[in-house]
Amino acid sequence: MGLFDRLKKGLQRTKELLQTDIRDLFKSGELLTEEKLEQFYSKLILTDMGVPAAREIVDEVREKHFGRTVVIDEIWATVKARLKILLKGSENTLWDVENFLSPLAMAPTGPTVILVAGVNGVGKTTSIAKLANLLHKAGRKVVLAAGDTFRAAAVEQLTMWSKRIGCDIVTKPSGSDPAAVAYAGCARALETGADVVVIDTAGRLQTQQNLMKQLEKIRRVIGDKIPGAPHEVLLVLDATTGQNGVSQAQKFSESVACTGLVLAKLDGTAKGGVVVAIRQQMNLPVKYVGLGEQIDDMEVFNPDNFVEALFAG
Amino acid sequence: MFESITKGLEGALSFLRGQTKLTEKNIREALQAVRQSLLEADVNYDVAQSFCDRVARVAVGTEVLDSLKPFEQFVGVVHRELIQLMGPVDHTLNLAKGQVGVIMMCGLQGSGKTTTCGKLAKMLQGEGWRPLLVAADLQRPAAIDQLRIIGEQLGVPVYTEPPTSNPVKVCQNGVALARKQGDVDVVILDTAGRLHIDDELMQELKQIDRTVEPDQVLLVCDAMTGQDAVNSAKVFNAALELNGVVLTKLDGDARGGAALSVKSVTGVPIKYIGVGEQLDKLEMFHPDRMASRILGMGDVLTLFEKAQQHFDAEQMAAQQEKLRKGKFTLTDFRNQMQQVKKLGSFSSIMKMIPGMGRISEMMNDADMDPEQDLGKIEAIISSMTEAERENPEIIDISRRRRIAAGSGTEPSMINKLLKEFTNAQKMMQNMAGQSHLDRLRSLQQMASMGAFDPGAEVSFGKNRSARAEIDKEKKKRQRKDAKKQRKKNRR
């Protein structure tokens, strides 16, 4: 199954929701009224894209099509174009979807360090496993650092994944200093000449200042061991997350300067629309999407396909 | 918790403050703002819409009472409707003594099921039940280990089978074991997280439901969930007839719109809320308190309850007595600080006091760490001798240096503390003669006067305009006394 199809499948529910409803909403030949726009607005809100983004889209549709007879394709084109602009951000980012490594900033020499963070239960460990698996398959030598020393059995969870993938892992007993694990991970990579270190961290709510400080320390320690590291700081976001995702992106960026998002669990009915809000307000791009529970259910995020799949017939 | 709803509503309603009458027009305006803030807080679109409609109907229909300002009246309506939207709640789990009760937990991946199982077990343990945890999550790697570790921490037995087993069998066997052994009277089933559109896994859940016939089925729901919360809750409810919802991760800045939505769409009440990662961080859900909190009216009830649980009554009474007599010493100050500390973090306490929620937020923004400051103050007081604590006037430069060295602080901090203490002492003497309510009022007054202004380094002393006129004679006398004291100390 091609990437496009899978994304489509993952987003099917969103599409169904948006499309069936919007089809019912806008009928060719009818006048576009304020009432219709309000209904359209409600559908956009239901994707979790947030009030400002939804307003922006509705305002543009109103400006271009209000009071005129509906031509569905034209309205579509407006909505799609606006969404794509919102998602591509100011640099008009596009990655090579075929090349899994294209969104990652790799170190010019020595190991590349990827720090992964996020709130509790968003799927960090699973996303790391998927990432490691793809890197491993691409012929990179991967070291995992099991930095979630807080949650019961998190280390075991990552260890199981490392065995399945067949990559190296650095662990310390539960309760150890996560920064020490990160440090050891970097040290191991330097020792064994590994290409990529992926560092897991314990889930933390962005409001827990002590834990955010701990995250800063992890980042600092990594930089001490390998200058220039971490090269990537990925924030994992649950697709079911609502507007709190913006707060997550903000606070995590403040603490460890995130470079991108991983949008996990996009295979449900949740729309993950909050990434639009995050892109709009923080200009933080989505780099990968998680589309299922299997280890290769991860893809490079493509704003064009995302929007296309959202509306494709 | 719920801060942003609060912020939005406060903002939305504050424009009503200046109005003298509730008209259809200004109500509509206020509601528009209320709706937007609810949407920004992830309240489901339809729920927000119908909530606003209902408030509009009630508000327009209410007669404007002469005694009430329109602002207060509108807040009253919103408050009542919020409570209605989230309540009523039934906190009981309907477990019959003398037989083995079964509680089944379900939810999406990552909502916090396993942790909540542990919290629930701890809570039941505290009520005298003997729980057994059953690890029926065979999907996520190491989920079984996680539950086992939690069981060890609590001293609660955990029933496990190898991951190759079948979840339905695990539940069946776990419950059967509990019934046979007799040293367990409630079984908590930790099922795997699943998507509500995964038919196969939903079927499996139904099968567990049919075979073990749990007394309670609880849905664990992440407070950070967006508009989709309603969809998944609906499907889980249709499949399993949920008895309640446990809303988790409410200790973050989650807007918690899910709480407002799930109840109103599914009719399933929220029973408990998870407010932290530790296993004792499970609380009863109180719609009335939550509604007050949302409206920025504070949560004094919870605070009182907590205080009752943690405060040493005798010690409190003794301190009250001292306060009344105006004999409040640094020792009492420290004791009180230690008691207050038992209630939780400074910011979490502040949030429960009406009008103080924003102050704790301001402190966060200003990057202040009251916890750390309090720690320093405690260290300073602990480094004093008994005599110094009872009679701080005797603290001269050399004593100050000693205390600073002992507590790892600067002598200037000790000065500051003593100054603050004198001010606080005065304030407390004033408050000692007041009723609880008056005290709360004066606290709020202080806040509005800027007593907790985070911009000021020292909270109390800086408010110069509030300072009483300086009695020069008295000052002179004080200086003389201090000089004498210093001489004495030198000897």
Side-chain angles (χ1 to χ4, degrees):
Chain A
M1 196 167 29
L3 162 83
F4 189 66
D5 296 322
R6 286 173 66 159
L7 245 168
K8 254 200 319 208
K9 196 181 137 226
L11 288 167
Q12 204 165 17
R13 290 286 166 148
T14 314
K15 192 193 74 197
E16 276 169 16
L17 178 96
L18 266 168
Q19 202 153 46
T20 50
D21 284 296
I22 290 173
R23 278 250 168 94
D24 291 342
L25 218 59
F26 300 130
K27 290 203 180 73
S28 278
E30 278 185 351
L31 275 183
L32 186 62
T33 59
E34 201 53 53
E35 190 189 335
K36 292 244 162 64
L37 280 174
E38 175 60 33
Q39 283 168 4
F40 178 52
Y41 173 70
S42 82
K43 302 305 170 211
L44 292 177
I45 287 291
L46 288 174
T47 69
D48 283 323
M49 70 170 61
V51 171
R55 281 231 178 284
E56 202 173 315
I57 295 174
V58 169
D59 285 347
E60 182 154 342
V61 172
R62 181 187 290 116
E63 194 184 308
K64 290 194 172 155
H65 308 283
F66 187 71
R68 294 164 48 187
T69 45
V70 170
V71 182
I72 291 179
D73 289 345
E74 280 179 14
I75 293 184
W76 277 151
T78 307
V79 172
K80 269 195 240 174
R82 174 52 51 187
L83 257 174
K84 279 182 193 172
I85 290 169
L86 281 173
L87 274 168
K88 282 181 196 165
S90 49
E91 314 91 54
N92 200 13
T93 323
L94 265 185
W95 288 293
D96 179 4
V97 284
E98 299 302 323
N99 176 7
F100 185 79
L101 303 180
S102 66
L104 295 177
M106 296 299 243
T109 53
T112 301
V113 183
I114 304 174
L115 180 64
V116 182
V119 301
N120 316 58
V122 289
K124 271 181 305 304
T125 310
T126 310
S127 296
I128 287 170
K130 290 175 180 174
L131 197 64
N133 180 50
L134 284 156
L135 286 161
H136 184 75
K137 274 190 180 165
R140 306 294 157 125
K141 193 172 170 191
V142 181
V143 177
L144 297 176
D148 184 354
T149 52
F150 178 80
R151 184 171 59 108
V155 175
E156 285 86 338
Q157 191 182 345
L158 200 64
T159 309
M160 280 183 203
W161 281 121
S162 79
K163 279 187 196 141
R164 285 188 210 172
I165 299 163
C167 65
D168 197 3
I169 183 165
V170 177
T171 61
K172 283 191 190 288
S174 151
S176 315
D177 182 359
V181 184
Y183 189 86
C186 295
R188 173 78 64 86
L190 289 171
E191 222 169 81
T192 61
D195 301 307
V196 187
V197 191
V198 188
I199 298 167
D200 190 11
T201 59
R204 64 203 72 216
L205 294 179
Q206 69 274 24
T207 48
Q208 291 161 332
Q209 285 187 12
N210 296 345
L211 293 179
M212 295 310 279
K213 292 244 162 74
Q214 182 194 64
L215 205 57
E216 283 167 35
K217 181 183 168 192
I218 295 173
R219 190 193 157 93
R220 216 164 42 233
V221 164
I222 298 168
D224 285 348
K225 186 69 187 169
I226 300 177
H231 306 87
E232 285 284 349
V233 181
L234 299 178
L235 176 68
V236 183
L237 206 69
D238 187 331
T240 59
T241 306
Q243 299 312 300
N244 191 250
V246 179
S247 162
Q248 290 172 25
Q250 257 160 10
K251 301 237 164 83
F252 273 96
S253 290
E254 274 166 27
S255 142
V256 286
C258 300
T259 56
L261 300 172
V262 176
L263 187 59
K265 307 190 203 171
L266 202 57
D267 46 337
T269 51
K271 298 91 205 166
V274 71
V275 298
V276 177
I278 292 174
R279 187 62 152 151
Q280 192 190 21
Q281 292 171 39
M282 308 260 320
N283 203 21
L284 198 62
V286 187
K287 297 204 165 179
Y288 297 99
V289 292
L291 295 164
E293 295 192 315
Q294 300 312 310
I295 190 140
D296 47 4
D297 286 336
M298 187 185 241
E299 301 288 357
V300 173
F301 178 77
N302 180 327
D304 284 313
N305 284 1
F306 185 81
V307 174
E308 215 57 58
L310 215 58
F311 295 115
Chain B
M1 192 191 291
F2 285 84
E3 272 95 11
S4 55
I5 302 191
T6 307
K7 234 188 279 167
L9 282 184
E10 264 180 10
L13 303 181
S14 65
F15 97 95
L16 268 182
R17 261 181 210 278
Q19 313 272 332
T20 49
K21 243 183 177 170
L22 268 189
T23 62
E24 231 179 302
K25 186 172 165 281
N26 61 24
I27 287 175
R28 204 177 302 127
E29 248 174 275
L31 281 174
Q32 200 57 37
V34 168
R35 189 184 77 147
Q36 175 155 344
S37 70
L38 290 178
L39 288 182
E40 277 169 358
D42 291 323
V43 175
N44 178 269
Y45 180 87
D46 297 324
V47 175
Q49 195 66 39
S50 59
F51 177 75
C52 288
D53 290 348
R54 207 163 43 237
V55 172
R57 266 202 311 280
V58 180
V60 174
T62 24
E63 244 175 84
V64 180
L65 299 170
D66 288 339
S67 57
L68 277 178
K69 294 202 177 91
F71 172 75
E72 286 165 356
Q73 203 162 12
F74 187 75
V75 171
V77 173
V78 174
H79 185 239
R80 262 202 316 278
E81 292 300 320
L82 272 176
I83 295 176
Q84 275 206 342
L85 194 66
M86 292 187 284
V89 206
D90 175 16
H91 290 137
T92 55
L93 288 171
N94 288 322
L95 300 173
K97 278 275 178 199
Q99 62 192 48
V100 177
V102 181
I103 302 171
M104 176 163 127
M105 311 292 275
C106 60
L108 301 173
Q109 287 101 334
S111 50
K113 280 177 302 304
T114 307
T115 308
T116 306
C117 283
K119 288 178 179 177
L120 203 61
K122 182 167 171 82
M123 195 185 74
L124 288 167
Q125 226 180 0
E127 290 170 6
W129 297 87
R130 291 165 302 168
L132 168 77
L133 291 163
V134 174
D137 180 356
L138 310 177
Q139 294 256 320
R140 181 161 58 97
I144 299 173
D145 292 331
Q146 190 186 350
L147 199 67
R148 199 184 285 143
I149 293 168
I150 287 174
E152 268 168 34
Q153 285 169 1
L154 295 173
V156 167
V158 180
Y159 178 79
T160 61
E161 280 183 28
T164 44
S165 182
N166 168 324
V168 184
K169 281 231 174 76
V170 176
C171 291
Q172 253 177 320
N173 294 345
V175 173
L177 184 83
R179 293 212 166 106
K180 204 170 73 194
Q181 282 191 340
D183 55 355
V184 165
D185 45 25
V186 55
V187 183
I188 301 171
L189 308 175
D190 179 26
T191 65
R194 63 202 72 216
L195 284 170
H196 52 288
I197 50 164
D198 190 328
D199 288 333
E200 205 179 307
L201 285 176
M202 288 307 283
Q203 280 305 326
E204 178 194 283
L205 214 50
K206 276 194 210 169
Q207 221 181 326
I208 296 175
D209 188 38
R210 269 201 310 272
T211 45
V212 302
E213 294 181 340
D215 302 277
Q216 289 275 314
V217 183
L218 301 179
L219 176 72
V220 181
C221 179
D222 185 334
M224 294 184 281
T225 319
Q227 300 282 333
D228 200 48
V230 164
N231 295 339
S232 51
K234 259 197 251 175
V235 178
F236 273 102
N237 190 34
L240 299 168
E241 284 186 37
L242 303 171
N243 298 87
V245 173
V246 183
L247 203 64
T248 58
K249 304 181 204 174
L250 263 173
D251 46 330
D253 57 357
R255 313 185 172 198
L260 296 175
S261 313
V262 168
K263 169 73 205 314
S264 92
V265 169
T266 61
V268 181
I270 297 160
K271 282 188 188 259
Y272 305 104
I273 54 176
V275 290
E277 282 184 274
Q278 288 77 28
L279 291 172
D280 57 349
K281 296 288 166 93
L282 190 72
E283 292 180 1
M284 307 263 177
F285 177 75
H286 293 285
D288 46 344
R289 296 180 190 181
M290 207 61 98
S292 302
R293 208 174 222 167
I294 290 170
L295 291 175
M297 288 154 79
D299 191 4
V300 181
L301 269 179
T302 305
L303 191 62
F304 278 156
E305 235 168 55
K306 272 196 174 176
Q308 271 169 358
Q309 269 173 28
H310 293 285
F311 279 1
D312 180 340
E314 267 175 48
Q315 209 181 354
M316 280 303 276
Q319 274 179 23
Q320 290 271 339
E321 186 58 26
K322 275 187 161 176
L323 256 179
R324 224 164 38 77
K325 290 184 182 153
K327 283 186 197 155
F328 188 72
T329 66
L330 280 164
T331 314
D332 302 317
F333 188 46
R334 189 182 55 170
N335 284 345
Q336 213 158 48
M337 244 166 55
Q338 279 161 350
Q339 296 235 357
V340 170
K341 253 169 123 180
K342 288 187 208 156
L343 292 182
S345 77
F346 191 67
S347 57
S348 71
I349 298 171
M350 289 297 254
K351 268 177 213 161
M352 288 187 230
I353 304 175
M356 298 282 186
R358 259 177 308 173
I359 289 164
S360 76
E361 218 171 86
M362 272 164 15
M363 288 201 289
N364 263 342
D365 289 347
D367 219 20
M368 275 173 60
D369 191 351
E371 248 68 47
Q372 209 182 344
D373 290 346
L374 287 180
K376 274 189 196 155
I377 291 173
E378 230 186 297
I380 292 174
I381 300 179
S382 299
S383 302
M384 294 179 182
T385 64
E386 199 63 46
E388 283 165 346
R389 277 179 224 155
E390 291 302 317
N391 198 5
E393 290 87 44
I394 63 168
I395 298 173
D396 57 9
I397 301 175
S398 97
R399 280 177 193 259
R400 212 154 56 210
R401 278 203 202 111
R402 194 206 72 238
I403 295 166
S407 57
T409 54
E410 296 292 317
S412 63
M413 253 203 92
I414 291 149
N415 249 358
K416 232 187 269 175
L417 169 70
L418 291 176
K419 223 190 219 166
E420 272 187 63
F421 174 70
T422 325
N423 279 320
Q425 214 175 11
K426 269 187 217 144
M427 185 183 80
M428 291 198 173
Q429 275 164 20
N430 287 340
M431 271 163 84
Q434 296 171 339
S435 70
H436 276 291
L437 200 68
D438 285 336
R439 264 179 235 174
L440 209 63
R441 282 212 187 105
S442 43
L443 210 60
Q444 268 180 300
Q445 221 168 24
M446 273 160 41
S448 61
M449 272 159 50
F452 298 100
D453 179 8
E457 213 180 337
V458 186
S459 29
F460 296 107
K462 290 258 164 148
N463 214 335
R464 288 180 192 279
S465 59
R467 199 198 254 171
E469 250 183 305
I470 298 168
D471 183 350
K472 282 190 181 162
E473 278 305 309
K474 200 175 155 200
K475 277 270 163 193
K476 222 173 185 176
R477 219 170 37 240
Q478 273 176 350
R479 270 200 297 273
K480 264 187 186 165
D481 287 349
K483 205 172 172 188
K484 256 188 221 158
Q485 189 67 50
R486 279 202 298 275
K487 254 188 197 161
K488 228 190 203 165
N489 287 333
R490 242 175 270 144
R491 262 180 251 139

